[in-house]
Amino acid sequence: MSRDTYERDEVLALSLLSALSGESIFLLGLPGVGKSMVARRLKLAFLDARVFEYLMSRFSTPDEIFGPVSISRLKDNDSYERITSGYLPESEIAFLDEIWKAGPAIQNALLTVLNERIYLNGNQEMWLPLRCVIAASNELPAKDEGLEALWDRFLLRYIVEPISGKENFIKLLSAGSEQPATPCADVFSVTDCRQILSESCNINIPDRTMEAIWAMRERLDAMMHRRDAVSGRPDPENVKFYISDRRWKKAIGVLRVSARLNDRDEVDLSDALLLSHMLWNDDTTIPAIRDIICEQVALVLFKEVVKNQENPRRHVKSSSKSAGNNGLYSHDGEHYAVQCEGTPMYIRIGDYKRIISSPREIFFASEDNQGVLRLLDMGQYTLCAGKTGHLCINSFDYPLKTIGESEMDRGAMDDMAMHMERLTKELNSLIDDNLFVRDSEVAKTMQRVMMDFRKRLEEA
């Protein structure tokens, strides 16, 4: 879909996600940034998909969108029905440009089309084959003109910016005339789409992901009910943070489809970042909402770290009587910490006891990715027992870290920082693997927020 396009991977991926979720997407952008191209490229992903495109104006009539009235049926059967062949009711992908310029008759008919995929043709309800409606405009709907209901029907929203990179801009100018895009080698059939939706219903939402989503809702509700600092009255501008229950419910459906298309059986925190395209009503709120989403994801991970450190005393281990009142520090009950500069290093408690109990030399391999010394039967270096609480590695003395009452909190904080670093790496890996999130602005924000949390822990 993205062949021979520049800086359009994310919007194409989101349009595909919306189509496979059975939802609609709104594209905001200046003329000439490729909004209509998205609809034409989306067609390539589906088998024999029928596309309907129309540029709205204030003079557009329902006949131009839903088809002309059948004169013969009106004359013979006294039935007011439209000939829908070739128009929106029989298309699978529809692109409606300048959507807000449509008249009330078109907008009212679109409400059920977008939400229920139903069109009332005469006295007959038509169940539409629509997979996705892509609407576009260079402006948001005007306030106080009754467009709120139609605006709410577009679950995904995306701002299409002009090409920003110099290299991509030069490639665009250097390319020849635009060639018609060729169909994808593998396409989705109607059966495939139904199967994806059916299987997505069984996708699990784990507790920590749901906790993050609930925290996002609480933050948005708090912002919506903020009061003016001077008058103490609610600020009417805060209504732009309102998210309907219907919107939350539909958003969860998209997250489930995202997990399914990423070959997972549960929604993870990387999927939750997609909410940044579904929770804004005004483009001025996008940075704030993006920050809220990322901060709540980070807070859920931070709470997980804190919960793991509720009782730092359990990390105190006494290796022998000679250790006195202070035991050897173990961050997890399985490893002792080695006192060294730089990256934390650990040795298995069982391996340390082998060294203490045996006078012979023991060989070991260098530390693994987690900084854990692993003893082997043979290796490159020699490790032998020194005095209690010490390791002698290549004739250099490494004491093991001891921890006392005054050091317990600091040891717990060190462990929390390490745990947070591990969770950060795991989250970054999930983001990089997610087809709909990687290399996006929300991914960059998430990485910045996680770095900030780690920095705070290190400072603490």
Side-chain angles (χ1 to χ4, degrees):
M1 288 172 61
S2 61
R3 185 182 303 153
D4 300 325
T5 65
Y6 307 99
E7 300 181 15
R8 295 295 176 260
D9 287 5
E10 186 178 15
V11 66
L12 288 169
L14 289 173
S15 67
L16 180 61
L17 176 61
S18 67
L20 292 171
S21 303
E23 298 296 343
S24 302
I25 183 170
F26 172 77
L27 306 181
L28 176 66
L30 296 171
V33 294
K35 300 188 293 294
S36 59
M37 178 270 295
V38 174
R40 291 192 290 270
R41 290 301 180 100
L42 183 59
K43 171 187 175 181
L44 304 177
F46 297 96
L47 182 63
D48 300 326
R50 291 162 293 181
V51 177
F52 176 79
E53 294 187 33
Y54 192 80
L55 175 61
M56 299 284 194
S57 74
R58 55 183 175 175
F59 303 110
S60 298
T61 65
D63 292 5
E64 297 168 287
I65 310 299
F66 304 106
V69 175
S70 173
I71 302 299
S72 61
R73 292 176 188 172
L74 182 61
K75 180 180 177 181
D76 299 337
N77 303 324
D78 198 22
S79 176
Y80 190 89
E81 296 181 27
R82 297 185 182 277
I83 302 172
T84 57
S85 179
Y87 292 88
L88 185 146
E90 295 193 17
S91 66
E92 292 162 291
I93 296 169
F95 176 68
L96 303 178
D97 202 2
E98 298 300 336
I99 180 72
W100 312 123
K101 293 181 180 178
I106 295 175
Q107 293 174 359
N108 289 336
L110 284 174
L111 292 178
T112 53
V113 167
L114 293 172
N115 200 50
E116 288 90 11
R117 296 295 193 260
I118 293 175
Y119 176 66
L120 185 62
N121 189 13
N123 58 1
Q124 300 292 323
E125 283 189 348
M126 289 182 63
W127 293 88
L128 309 186
L130 270 176
R131 293 199 179 100
C132 181
V133 174
I134 302 176
S137 179
N138 56 13
E139 59 186 1
L140 293 175
K143 296 180 179 179
D144 303 322
E145 290 192 11
L147 297 171
E148 292 81 8
L150 183 60
W151 170 235
D152 193 55
R153 295 301 198 273
F154 293 99
L155 183 60
L156 284 92
R157 297 157 179 178
Y158 188 84
I159 298 180
V160 185
E161 300 283 3
I163 291 174
S164 59
K166 176 182 177 181
E167 184 177 347
N168 290 329
F169 182 70
I170 291 175
K171 286 180 180 179
L172 175 69
L173 299 186
S174 302
S177 59
E178 185 178 353
Q179 299 295 323
T182 54
C184 303
D186 296 312
V187 294
F188 293 101
S189 66
V190 174
T191 304
D192 293 332
C193 296
R194 289 173 179 169
Q195 183 177 353
I196 288 170
L197 275 177
S198 176
E199 292 174 354
S200 69
C201 294
N202 298 320
I203 296 293
N204 180 49
I205 304 179
D207 290 342
R208 76 173 185 176
T209 303
M210 193 61 81
E211 181 183 349
I213 293 172
W214 171 251
M216 294 172 201
R217 187 192 176 190
E218 285 190 315
R219 281 289 304 277
L220 291 172
D221 283 351
M223 296 188 74
M224 187 180 69
H225 292 102
R226 282 184 306 179
R227 294 178 176 271
D228 185 87
V230 178
S231 66
R233 296 177 181 177
D235 187 347
E237 280 296 308
N238 291 338
V239 73
K240 57 192 175 186
F241 291 103
Y242 169 72
I243 306 298
S244 66
D245 290 344
R246 176 181 61 195
R247 192 168 193 79
W248 281 109
K249 178 66 175 178
K250 284 179 167 287
I252 291 297
V254 173
L255 303 191
R256 283 193 161 111
V257 173
S258 171
R260 168 63 186 84
L261 294 175
N262 280 291
D263 292 326
R264 286 185 269 102
D265 57 6
E266 66 176 24
V267 174
D268 66 30
L269 293 172
S270 73
D271 297 313
L273 299 183
L274 288 168
L275 292 169
S276 63
H277 302 295
M278 295 179 263
L279 300 185
W280 62 270
N281 291 308
D282 188 295
D283 57 334
T284 60
T285 66
I286 293 177
I289 289 175
R290 189 184 294 150
D291 285 344
I292 288 173
I293 291 171
C294 293
E295 286 168 5
Q296 297 313 310
V297 169
L299 276 172
V300 165
L301 295 178
F302 182 68
K303 289 177 182 178
E304 185 177 314
V305 172
V306 172
K307 185 177 180 181
N308 192 52
Q309 298 296 322
E310 283 180 350
N311 184 12
R313 290 174 180 266
R314 63 189 174 86
H315 298 306
V316 178
K317 295 279 181 179
S318 288
S319 60
S320 65
K321 293 181 181 179
S322 60
N325 294 329
N326 292 334
L328 299 180
Y329 173 71
S330 170
H331 72 297
D332 58 2
E334 296 181 6
H335 302 86
Y336 285 144
V338 180
Q339 191 75 41
C340 62
E341 297 293 334
T343 304
M345 188 163 60
Y346 299 93
I347 183 171
R348 290 184 180 277
I349 294 173
D351 289 338
Y352 174 76
K353 289 181 178 178
R354 284 173 57 194
I355 297 173
I356 295 299
S357 61
S358 175
R360 65 183 178 82
E361 291 183 342
I362 299 176
F363 295 93
F364 85 106
S366 58
E367 67 267 19
D368 62 13
N369 292 334
Q370 284 74 43
V372 177
L373 296 171
R374 298 186 180 279
L375 301 186
L376 304 175
D377 292 334
M378 61 181 62
Q380 183 179 0
Y381 305 103
T382 303
L383 177 113
C384 59
K387 57 185 179 179
T388 301
H390 288 251
L391 294 173
C392 182
I393 303 176
N394 292 348
S395 301
F396 191 87
D397 185 42
Y398 286 86
L400 297 186
K401 184 176 180 180
T402 59
I403 187 166
E405 292 291 334
S406 63
E407 297 175 308
M408 285 184 185
D409 291 341
R410 187 174 64 185
M413 290 298 291
D414 289 344
D415 189 22
M416 288 167 66
M418 285 188 60
H419 195 177
M420 198 69 183
E421 182 176 0
R422 179 181 64 79
L423 290 175
T424 300
K425 290 179 179 178
E426 289 179 3
L427 180 59
N428 286 338
S429 178
L430 290 173
I431 291 173
D432 290 340
D433 291 339
N434 193 314
L435 300 170
F436 310 105
V437 176
R438 60 190 179 196
D439 298 324
S440 64
E441 284 301 316
V442 70
K444 296 173 185 176
T445 303
M446 188 72 251
Q447 291 163 353
R448 174 180 58 78
V449 169
M450 291 298 287
M451 286 179 63
D452 183 54
F453 265 79
R454 288 171 56 192
K455 183 178 179 181
R456 290 189 219 173
L457 276 174
E458 290 168 0
E459 290 173 350

